[in-house]
């Protein structure tokens, strides 16, 4: 029964998929403004800043050995070091480990509330959503939150949300991460039905809209009877439905050929690869312009048998300070993640666009919550920014900062996207200049 | 894995205790609108339409809090939700509207034909049939209708020391066996109930001869046919007839449409619709008709509207503005179905709610017993037990193949079956809570028996004495609470404290070496771990956790018994727990089972799930009363469930004062 259901889903929508034209992704030809995109690639359990930071600043740096995979992208990437996450405070307050303080503040620059173990999760708007809410993109998906679904150490209590939600629409709405490549494929390419006539597709769209209009009437009628806590939940619902309505409109304007459906039950490296393939397609087809991708959740216990490493990622991140073998393996794992990031950037670079390629219109940031996983500290934070040359970004260098708030780096992405960064970042003191 | 329900600081832990929960901004007894979690969404649609599930597959994972997936405060809604919900309703609409024709599909078995594949030892006979020695023939068949189908095959046998026995499996389930006598082709047939979709039928010889025997038993197959449905399932689907009984063939009258909206609306929203709500639903029918939908599609469109409304997707309990109020019958019925079935009430429960019999003396008890006896109660194992006992983690662990070459997917599946069986004994089987810890016989199949080194022959599954005691000595538990390449005493001990005794130690401080690197020549693993954790910062918590794990030292990282640790030192499983000398898993299980915290922790865990909210200190009196009743009445799940559903936190709701 599952088969027929999936087949139907792909036949249900309002979109006529046309042969894919690589040089004309959606709005780029029509819109007067150049298309700008942003992608955050998150790696859990820290980058060991001390081992990945070149000794020299500027363009004549020597690449540290664990960072060698970045050489393939050197001319199109900037290493950013020395940043401080000033919102990593709950750990200090409680005196113990704070994976969640660092992961939650990574894209929000909002510290955990002081009593965050109690009540519903609450934080603040993340940089990607800050951008989306101001850009109000016309793409079918305002943004995508994608992950790999790797196992991690659930914390229990009410705090799990702070571990595995990087994107927040507002202070009470963490955004769920989709982790199954087939499910994401189904989302992105639902509605393809070459057999249906245009009139039939239009009729289906009208019916879908009627239902969603009626549902809005229900929420409005209901809202009057509910108290504040219920209404907060209902607001999330209403927003979700409204976004779906916009998507139904938006998808009708997109022409793009769906790729092959990912295979089921992929092992970790293949699952990561499948998901990043979908990211490339989503950006290429202009289905969205803002993506956060989490290669895992903080405390991820991913294992790496394909690297010949038997210790899990979280354990490695603590043990490297004590055992040479674990240190070597921890760095090999980080090299591997850097390689995946580089690989994704190079796939973006293979897609030609007017005046450049997909990478030159996309700011891709490699981020992690810790600069030292064993010590559970975010700072000094280490990361990489790549692409985005269409806005004049210069690369091939190591940008060594001396304690610049990491929010300034996040704001650089807002600046790139053409969003005024004012109001973003609890501790921002400006905007990091990547030009 | 860290559950900070009654988050305790550890004994003598210096200056460091877990964050406390008493600062909750909400008063006890309230929860915001509770979104249906994935399991509840799927089961609710299954209940409403009689489909076989799979509706939640494209929804994002639920937020977990307090160890469970159904915590109202934590469950949020993002862009992907409306999309996933709508996709599910579109799929349902399509299946409701489909009109089934009779299907006959036929495959000639001759070499590598499309839709047919072969495995094992066999060969093509003259290009017209296939001779099977000990392999199998699999035909993949696509069906467009639900119902009973006849699977037929034309076969001929070759006898050798007895006739070949041909087994037929459909979708991996045994469907029929035939003794094939006679060398002339003849037809054998079996009837199977199938649904729309793709199915595989497999034919194999159950009693193959040895490969070197001569002659060998064989069966020749030259045609596989699937015909049906034989029962009158042609036409509208059973789902349509269930939802629209007044127009089983379609084209409902206005009165029928009204009737459907009323009946279906009550099931989906778990209460009767008001006249205004009915008018709204009728309006949606009209809107759909105006947009070009025929009567059937217009009705289905309105059903989609009911399913996409917050009244279906959330469990709403509006008010009170101040103080607290009793929940009405329908709200109680909704909570009952959520707790015991992870679903929506059935008609019987809604009728009981409407008639007021839930508030009559004994009314709730009667419903609990009826519901626990219903197959839908298996949701308790799938959800409550799976989340409380972390059964799902077994799917996530990845034992290192170099260290544990014996671990494979078959073993993983067998371990999971054993864990489900063990917990089901309590949740569904009427056994006391202690049985989960103390059972000396569990469901063990051949693969697990081999792992446990107990003699079980054949593939027969059943309860056998394994020489192991309860949950803590199951392969599944022991595997989950291990590192990929060695067992973890800390993880095992922590889980027992957190999930069984609700006494979770806080997380470790930053910068600590969480996995001790072992030296080859500094004593046993246990000795080295004890030495490293001797410092006061560590000792406070580890003194409580580690001995529990050391008592299980006789089991490796995939739960196999061992006498030597990974460094080759003899296992020392003797520990002292709260002054009691305990050696090995069986004594440990008895120690945990005798701990008075076990019962109250079971109550806290179950209550957290049943209420969909955190159990706070304000609930202490209720927890105590429920615990007393639970233990007084044999510590069975039925006693626990009755005590919970008749308690004030379950039946009443306080005003929310939380500011947004």
């Amino acid at each position: 029964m599952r088969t027929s259901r999936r087949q139907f889903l792909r036949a249900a929508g309002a979109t006529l998929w046309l042969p894919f034209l690589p040089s004309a992704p959606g709005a780029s030809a029509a819109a007067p403004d150049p298309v700008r995109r942003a992608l955050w690639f998150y790696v859990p359990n820290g980058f060991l800043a001390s081992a990945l930071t070149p000794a020299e600043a500027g363009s004549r740096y020597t690449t540290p050995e664990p960072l060698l995979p970045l050489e393939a992208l050197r001319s199109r990437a900037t290493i950013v070091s020395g940043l401080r996450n000033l919102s990593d405070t709950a750990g200090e307050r409680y005196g113990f480990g704070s994976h969640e303080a660092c992961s939650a503040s990574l894209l929000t620059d909002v510290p955990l509330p002081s009593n965050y173990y109690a009540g519903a999760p609450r934080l603040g708007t993340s940089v990607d959503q800050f951008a989306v809410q101001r850009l109000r993109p016309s793409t079918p998906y305002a943004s995508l939150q994608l992950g790999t679904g790797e196992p991690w150490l659930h914390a229990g209590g009410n705090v799990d949300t702070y571990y595995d939600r990087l994107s927040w629409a507002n202070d009470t709405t963490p955004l769920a991460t989709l982790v199954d490549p087939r499910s994401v494929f189904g989302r992105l390419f639902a509605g393809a039905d070459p057999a249906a006539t245009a009139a039939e597709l239009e009729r289906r769209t009208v019916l879908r809209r009627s239902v969603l209009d009626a549902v809005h009437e229900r929420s409005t009628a209901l809202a009057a009877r509910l108290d504040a806590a219920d209404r907060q939940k209902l607001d999330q619902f209403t927003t979700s439905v409204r976004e779906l309505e916009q998507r139904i409109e938006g998808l009708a304007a997109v022409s793009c050929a769906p790729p092959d459906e990912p295979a089921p039950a992929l092992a970790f490296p293949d699952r990561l690869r499948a998901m990043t393939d979908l990211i490339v397609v989503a950006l290429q087809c202009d289905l969205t312009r803002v993506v956060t991708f989490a290669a895992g959740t903080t405390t991820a216990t991913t294992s790496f048998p394909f690297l010949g490493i038997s210790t899990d990622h979280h354990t490695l991140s603590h043990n490297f300070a004590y055992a040479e073998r674990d240190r070597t393996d921890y760095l090999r794992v980080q090299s591997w993640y850097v390689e995946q990031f580089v690989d994704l950037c190079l796939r973006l670079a293979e897609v030609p666009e007017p005046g450049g390629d997909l990478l030159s219109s996309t700011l891709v940031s490699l981020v992690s919550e810790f600069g030292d996983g064993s010590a559970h500290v975010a700072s000094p934070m280490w990361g990489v920014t790549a692409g985005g040359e269409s806005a004049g970004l210069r690369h091939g260098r190591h940008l060594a900062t001396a304690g610049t708030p990491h929010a300034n780096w996040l704001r650089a992405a807002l600046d790139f996207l053409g969003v005024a960064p004012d109001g973003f970042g609890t501790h921002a003191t400006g905007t990091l200049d990547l030009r | 894995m860290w559950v900070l329900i009654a988050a305790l600081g550890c004994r003598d832990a210096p200056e460091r205790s877990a964050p406390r929960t008493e600062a909750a901004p909400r008063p006890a007894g309230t929860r915001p609108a509770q979104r249906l979690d994935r399991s509840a969404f799927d089961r609710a649609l299954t209940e409403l339409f009689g489909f076989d599930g799979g509706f939640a597959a494209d929804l994002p994972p639920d937020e977990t809090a307090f160890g469970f997936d159904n915590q109202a405060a934590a469950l949020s809604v993002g862009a992907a939700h409306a999309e996933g919900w709508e996709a599910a309703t579109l799929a349902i609409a399509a299946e409701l509207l489909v009109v089934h024709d009779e299907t006959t599909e036929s495959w000639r078995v001759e070499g590598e034909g499309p839709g047919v594949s072969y495995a094992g030892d066999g060969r093509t006979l003259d290009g017209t049939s296939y001779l099977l020695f000990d392999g199998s023939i699999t035909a993949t068949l696509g069906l467009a209708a639900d119902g009973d189908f006849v699977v037929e095959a034309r076969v001929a046998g070759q006898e050798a020391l007895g006739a070949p026995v041909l087994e037929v499996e459909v979708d991996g389930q045994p469907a029929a066996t035939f003794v094939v006598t006679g060398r002339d082709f003849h037809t054998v047939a079996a009837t199977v109930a199938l649904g729309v979709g793709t199915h595989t039928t497999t034919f194999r010889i159950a009693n193959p001869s040895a490969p070197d025997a001569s002659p060998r038993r064989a069966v020749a197959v030259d045609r596989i046919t699937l015909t049906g449905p034989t029962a009158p399932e042609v036409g509208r689907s059973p789902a349509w007839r269930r939802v629209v009984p007044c127009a089983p063939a379609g084209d409902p009258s206005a009165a029928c449409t009204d009737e459907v909206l009323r009946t279906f609306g009550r099931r989906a929203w778990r209460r009767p619709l008001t006249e205004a709500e009915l008018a709204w639903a009728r309006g949606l029918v009209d809107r759909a008709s105006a947009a070009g939908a025929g009567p059937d599609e217009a009705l289905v469109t309105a059903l989609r509207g009911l399913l996409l409304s917050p009244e279906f997707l959330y469990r709403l309990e509006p008010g009170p503005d101040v103080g607290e109020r009793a929940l009405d019958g329908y709200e109680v019925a909704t909570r009952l179905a959520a707790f015991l079935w992870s679903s929506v009430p059935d008609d019987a429960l809604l009728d009981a709610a409407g008639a007021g019999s839930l508030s009559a003396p004994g009314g709730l008890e009667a419903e609990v017993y009826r519901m626990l006896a219903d197959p839908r109660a298996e949701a308790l194992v799938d959800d409550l037990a799976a989340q409380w006992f972390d059964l799902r983690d077994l799917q996530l662990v990845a034992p290192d193949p170099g260290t544990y070459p014996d671990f494979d997917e078959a073993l993983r599946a067998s371990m999971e079956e054993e864990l489900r069986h063990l917990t089901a004994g309590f949740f569904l089987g009427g056994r006391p809570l202690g049985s989960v810890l103390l059972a000396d016989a569990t469901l063990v199949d051949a693969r697990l028996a081999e792992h446990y080194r107990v003699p079980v022959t054949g593939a027969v599954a059943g309860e056998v004495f394994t020489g192991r005691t309860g949950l803590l000595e199951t392969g599944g538990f022991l595997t989950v609470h291990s590192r990929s390449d060695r067992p973890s005493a800390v993880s095992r001990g922590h889980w027992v404290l957190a999930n069984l005794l609700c006494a979770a130690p806080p997380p470790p401080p930053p910068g600590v070496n969480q996995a001790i690197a072992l030296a080859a020549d500094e004593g046993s693993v246990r000795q080295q771990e004890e030495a490293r954790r001797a410092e006061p910062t560590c000792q406070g918590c580890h003194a409580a956790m580690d001995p529990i794990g050391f008592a299980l030292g006789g089991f490796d990282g995939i739960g196999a018994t061992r006498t030597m640790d990974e460094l080759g030192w003899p296992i020392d499983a003797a520990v002292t727990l709260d002054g009691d000398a305990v050696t090995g898993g069986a004594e440990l299980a008895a120690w945990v089972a005798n701990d008075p915290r076990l019962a109250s922790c079971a109550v806290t865990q179950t209550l957290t799930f049943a209420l969909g909210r955190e159990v706070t200190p304000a609930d202490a009196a209720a927890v105590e009363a429920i615990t007393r009743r639970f233990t007084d009445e044999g510590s069975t799940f039925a006693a626990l469930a009755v005590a919970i559903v008749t308690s004030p936190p379950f039946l009443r709701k306080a005003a929310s004062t939380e500011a947004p």
Side-chain angles (χ1 to χ4, degrees):
Chain A
M1 184 167 277
R2 191 73 195 107
T3 309
S4 62
R5 190 165 292 145
R6 187 172 281 281
Q7 281 163 352
F8 172 75
L9 290 182
R10 293 171 66 181
T15 311
L16 183 60
W17 298 99
L18 300 173
F20 176 57
L21 306 169
S23 60
S28 63
D33 293 329
V35 176
R36 301 261 173 88
R37 310 173 168 93
L39 163 62
W40 282 269
F41 188 115
Y42 163 74
V43 173
N45 297 331
F47 280 121
L48 187 57
S50 58
L52 297 175
T53 307
E56 315 84 358
S59 59
R60 300 172 68 90
Y61 67 86
T62 306
T63 306
E65 202 248 322
L67 196 55
L68 285 176
L70 192 65
E71 282 296 289
L73 194 69
R74 179 165 179 147
S75 64
R76 303 195 64 179
T78 296
I79 302 163
V80 184
S81 69
L83 298 167
R84 285 205 64 192
N85 176 350
L86 292 160
S87 294
D88 163 28
T89 53
E92 292 162 24
R93 183 174 306 124
Y94 286 109
F96 57 74
S98 197
H99 276 273
E100 65 275 33
C102 297
S103 59
S105 56
L106 182 62
L107 296 186
T108 61
D109 190 31
V110 176
L112 298 187
S114 59
N115 57 345
Y116 73 105
Y117 270 77
R122 55 213 176 283
L123 198 68
T125 310
S126 56
V127 62
D128 54 316
Q129 297 306 303
F130 188 93
V132 161
Q133 286 157 16
R134 280 152 188 80
L135 287 170
R136 301 184 161 277
S138 58
T139 50
Y141 299 88
S143 64
L144 290 174
Q145 291 75 41
L146 306 175
T148 60
E150 280 297 282
W152 52 286
L153 301 174
H154 289 256
N158 228 350
V159 304
D160 280 358
T161 299
Y162 299 112
Y163 283 72
D164 77 340
R165 299 290 193 265
L166 297 176
S167 291
W168 291 65
N170 55 47
D171 57 349
T172 55
T173 307
L175 297 180
T177 306
L178 290 174
V179 298
D180 174 6
R182 287 165 69 83
S183 160
V184 172
F185 177 88
R187 266 191 92 185
L188 295 181
F189 298 102
D193 185 2
T197 63
E200 169 60 16
L201 291 171
E202 173 61 19
R203 199 183 65 86
R204 289 179 196 172
T205 305
V206 170
L207 283 179
R208 289 173 77 190
R209 260 196 240 121
S210 309
V211 172
L212 297 180
D213 285 348
V215 167
H216 271 306
E217 293 164 18
R218 290 300 327 141
S219 351
T220 311
L222 201 55
R225 294 168 47 215
L226 299 179
D227 63 26
D230 285 345
R231 257 203 313 272
Q232 203 175 72
K233 294 290 180 189
L234 194 65
D235 284 347
Q236 294 179 354
F237 172 84
T238 314
T239 305
S240 178
V241 172
R242 185 169 303 120
E243 285 172 358
L244 174 59
E245 289 176 311
Q246 288 163 359
R247 195 160 307 133
I248 292 172
E249 305 300 318
L251 275 172
V254 173
S255 313
C256 200
D260 291 340
E261 182 167 14
L266 292 170
F268 169 67
D270 298 328
R271 191 159 11 98
L272 185 146
R273 169 75 194 209
M275 201 60 106
T276 53
D277 278 343
L278 288 169
I279 291 172
V280 174
V281 172
L283 294 175
Q284 180 178 8
C285 296
D286 211 25
L287 297 171
T288 189
R289 293 177 189 175
V290 176
V291 180
T292 49
F293 171 69
T297 298
T298 188
T299 72
T301 54
T302 302
S303 46
F304 304 92
F306 52 95
L307 297 178
I309 296 173
S310 62
T311 309
D312 73 84
H313 194 183
H314 179 247
T315 302
L316 285 176
S317 77
H318 283 285
N319 279 17
F320 74 86
Y322 305 89
E324 189 52 40
R325 160 93 191 274
D326 287 338
R327 181 184 166 87
T328 310
D329 286 350
Y330 185 46
L331 290 173
R332 281 176 63 212
V333 165
Q334 288 172 53
S335 296
W336 184 81
Y337 278 114
V338 169
E339 195 181 324
Q340 305 316 303
F341 164 80
V342 168
D343 190 55
L344 171 58
C345 290
L346 293 177
R347 272 178 279 156
L348 292 172
E350 281 169 14
V351 181
E353 279 212 314
D357 56 37
L358 201 50
L359 181 60
S360 62
S361 66
T362 309
L363 186 74
V364 194
S365 306
L366 177 65
V367 297
S368 187
E369 76 280 31
F370 293 139
D372 181 337
S374 173
H376 278 179
V377 293
S379 313
M381 186 184 276
W382 182 93
V384 175
T385 292
E389 294 93 337
S390 71
L393 267 56
R394 286 189 302 114
H395 289 305
R397 60 197 170 125
H398 166 212
L399 188 57
T401 77
T404 300
H406 91 295
N408 292 19
W409 184 35
L410 298 178
R411 283 165 62 127
L414 296 174
D415 185 52
F416 168 79
L417 290 168
V419 171
D422 310 317
F424 180 82
T426 311
H427 295 98
T429 56
T431 300
L432 194 67
D433 187 5
L434 297 173
R435 288 191 173 85
Chain B
M1 290 168 198
W2 293 325
V3 177
L4 286 151
I5 285 178
L8 306 176
C10 301
R11 264 162 300 173
D12 309 321
E15 295 302 308
R16 198 162 61 71
S17 62
R20 280 158 291 267
T21 53
E22 60 259 42
R26 285 177 291 114
T30 110
R31 70 165 194 220
Q34 182 188 32
R35 164 165 79 66
L36 298 186
D37 57 61
R38 288 165 46 116
S39 170
F41 178 75
D42 197 36
R43 287 172 202 273
L45 293 177
T46 301
E47 176 73 35
L48 291 169
F49 296 100
F51 291 149
D52 65 350
F55 297 105
D58 291 338
L59 285 170
D62 293 316
E63 289 83 358
T64 56
F66 303 103
F68 295 104
D69 285 356
N70 68 346
Q71 300 296 294
L75 288 172
S76 72
V77 167
H81 283 95
E83 221 168 82
W85 291 328
E86 196 215 17
T89 68
L90 285 168
I92 287 168
E95 291 189 18
L96 286 175
L97 291 171
V98 85
V99 179
H100 296 308
D101 299 324
E102 189 181 62
T103 304
T104 298
E105 294 217 53
S106 183
W107 286 262
R108 272 205 72 80
V109 178
E110 46 188 31
E112 306 295 319
V116 184
S117 62
Y118 309 89
D121 193 4
R123 59 187 166 84
T124 304
L125 269 186
D126 310 329
T128 60
S129 63
Y130 194 79
L131 190 63
L132 200 58
F133 293 109
D134 64 3
S136 62
I137 297 178
T138 299
T140 304
L141 314 163
L143 297 182
D146 299 324
D148 287 339
F149 286 78
V150 178
V151 181
E152 288 177 312
R154 274 189 22 104
V155 297
Q158 168 173 291
E159 300 196 17
L161 300 172
V165 175
L166 189 63
E167 274 181 345
V168 184
E169 282 181 3
V170 177
D171 297 336
Q173 301 297 316
T177 54
F178 306 104
V179 178
V180 182
T181 52
R183 300 177 69 96
D184 297 326
F185 275 105
H186 59 286
T187 300
V188 293
T191 300
V192 288
L194 295 174
V196 173
T198 305
H199 301 278
T200 58
T201 59
T202 302
F203 294 75
R204 72 165 59 83
I205 299 184
N207 57 343
S209 307
D212 55 354
S214 178
R216 293 170 71 185
R217 265 179 231 117
V219 174
V221 181
D222 87 343
R223 180 186 288 274
I224 299 172
T225 308
L226 193 72
T227 308
T230 55
E233 303 288 350
V234 179
R236 290 289 181 175
S237 67
W240 171 274
R241 293 199 298 272
R242 175 191 180 93
V243 174
V244 196
C246 47
D251 206 4
S253 65
C256 174
T257 295
D258 254 27
E259 176 55 30
V260 170
L261 294 177
R262 214 178 279 276
T263 310
F264 182 85
R266 187 178 88 132
R267 286 178 187 154
W269 289 10
R270 290 90 64 180
R271 60 170 174 78
L273 270 54
T274 64
E275 285 309 313
E277 289 160 350
L278 268 177
W280 166 84
R282 245 183 255 119
L284 188 47
V285 174
D286 295 341
R287 263 186 266 196
S289 304
D296 294 352
E297 193 177 17
L299 174 56
V300 166
T301 303
L303 299 185
R304 290 185 47 228
L306 287 163
L307 293 176
L308 287 172
S309 292
E311 287 90 341
F312 171 70
L313 295 166
Y314 289 82
R315 300 191 186 97
L316 298 164
E317 295 161 353
D321 294 337
V322 289
E324 57 176 67
R325 71 170 176 95
L327 299 177
D328 71 24
Y330 290 107
E331 289 168 333
V332 171
T334 297
R335 283 191 172 201
L336 274 174
F339 172 28
L340 299 176
W341 290 350
S342 300
S343 182
V344 291
D346 62 353
D347 285 346
L349 183 52
L350 289 171
D351 291 345
S357 50
L358 294 182
S359 51
L364 281 169
E365 284 87 339
E367 275 303 325
V368 167
Y369 286 113
R370 178 183 78 87
M371 293 174 75
L372 286 180
D374 188 283
R376 297 172 178 100
E378 281 180 28
L380 286 166
V381 178
D382 295 336
D383 292 328
L384 172 56
Q387 293 165 35
W388 172 4
F389 292 96
D390 287 332
L391 304 189
R392 298 181 296 186
D393 287 358
L394 191 54
Q395 289 306 319
L396 300 176
V397 294
D400 175 44
T403 315
Y404 301 115
D406 290 346
F407 189 86
D408 57 24
E409 291 310 309
L411 182 57
R412 191 197 300 270
S414 302
M415 286 175 167
E416 183 170 5
E417 268 314 295
E418 185 191 26
L419 284 175
R420 289 179 59 87
H421 178 80
L422 188 61
T423 50
F426 169 61
F427 289 98
L428 303 173
R431 296 182 182 180
L433 175 61
S435 73
V436 176
L437 287 159
L438 300 174
D440 55 5
T442 59
L443 186 75
V444 171
D445 62 13
R447 180 71 186 87
L448 197 54
E450 181 195 341
H451 189 58
Y452 288 175
R453 298 186 203 131
V454 293
V456 170
T457 48
V460 183
E463 276 204 353
V464 296
F465 292 98
T466 57
R468 296 185 176 218
T469 305
L471 175 75
L472 302 182
E473 292 194 333
T474 58
F477 170 81
L478 293 160
T479 303
V480 165
H481 299 287
S482 291
R483 298 187 180 282
S484 58
D485 57 351
R486 62 191 182 97
S488 168
V490 179
S491 171
R492 291 171 179 181
H494 190 281
W495 189 88
V496 168
L497 289 176
N499 291 44
L500 296 181
L501 302 178
C502 292
V512 297
N513 182 4
Q514 289 193 20
I516 287 167
L518 298 171
D521 52 356
E522 290 175 15
S524 70
V525 174
R526 174 173 170 177
Q527 286 164 344
Q528 292 193 41
E529 292 188 349
E530 285 175 334
R532 294 286 184 84
R533 291 177 192 136
E535 56 181 288
T537 342
C538 304
Q539 192 55 26
C541 292
H542 282 282
M545 287 188 283
D546 298 9
I548 294 175
F550 292 142
L552 296 169
F555 300 96
D556 71 10
I558 55 171
T561 51
R562 59 177 191 172
T563 53
M564 300 288 185
D565 72 14
E566 50 267 43
L567 296 177
W569 292 75
I571 294 295
D572 173 10
V575 298
T576 305
L577 299 171
D578 281 344
D580 302 326
V582 168
T583 302
E587 290 184 24
L588 173 65
W591 182 82
V592 176
N594 284 330
D595 192 314
R597 291 175 294 182
L598 177 64
S600 67
C601 185
V603 169
T604 301
Q605 299 274 21
T606 309
L607 193 59
T608 303
F609 179 81
L611 299 177
R613 68 164 172 86
E614 174 185 4
V615 171
T616 72
D619 297 308
V623 169
E624 199 184 319
I626 295 166
T627 306
R628 202 174 317 116
R629 191 161 172 197
F630 170 48
T631 51
D632 284 354
E633 294 178 13
S635 298
T636 63
F637 184 75
L640 176 56
V642 167
I644 283 178
V645 307
T646 54
S647 71
F650 194 83
L651 296 172
R652 303 185 67 78
K653 183 184 178 238
S656 161
T657 56
E658 185 180 30

